[in-house]
Amino acid sequence: MKGLFNLGPVFGYFFRKNDPNRTSNFNLRTMHFINKLSMAMFLVGFLVLLYRWFLR
């Protein structure tokens, strides 16, 4: 149960450095941007739900 709420890899995905050994192209950069955007939108929506449930 402890590993279920481990958010370290999620935040590591947002703030990691570029690997110079990995090739990069437009499709890969676009995929990572969309993944980051969708995770950020999910977290914002989740915070809004928490606000509505607990503070209203």
Side-chain angles (χ1 to χ4, degrees):
M1 191 70 169
K2 182 179 179 182
L4 187 63
F5 296 104
N6 185 8
L7 296 177
V10 173
F11 292 120
Y13 181 78
F14 278 103
F15 301 113
R16 68 180 174 187
K17 303 279 187 216
N18 289 338
D19 185 8
N21 297 327
R22 182 181 297 163
T23 60
S24 179
N25 59 20
F26 176 76
N27 292 333
L28 188 62
R29 287 192 312 266
T30 304
M31 179 194 68
H32 284 291
F33 173 75
I34 291 172
N35 284 344
K36 290 177 184 179
L37 181 64
S38 65
M39 283 191 283
M41 289 175 66
F42 173 79
L43 290 174
V44 168
F46 187 69
L47 291 174
V48 168
L49 284 175
L50 287 176
Y51 171 77
R52 288 181 181 177
W53 286 339
F54 293 114
L55 297 178
R56 279 193 175 180

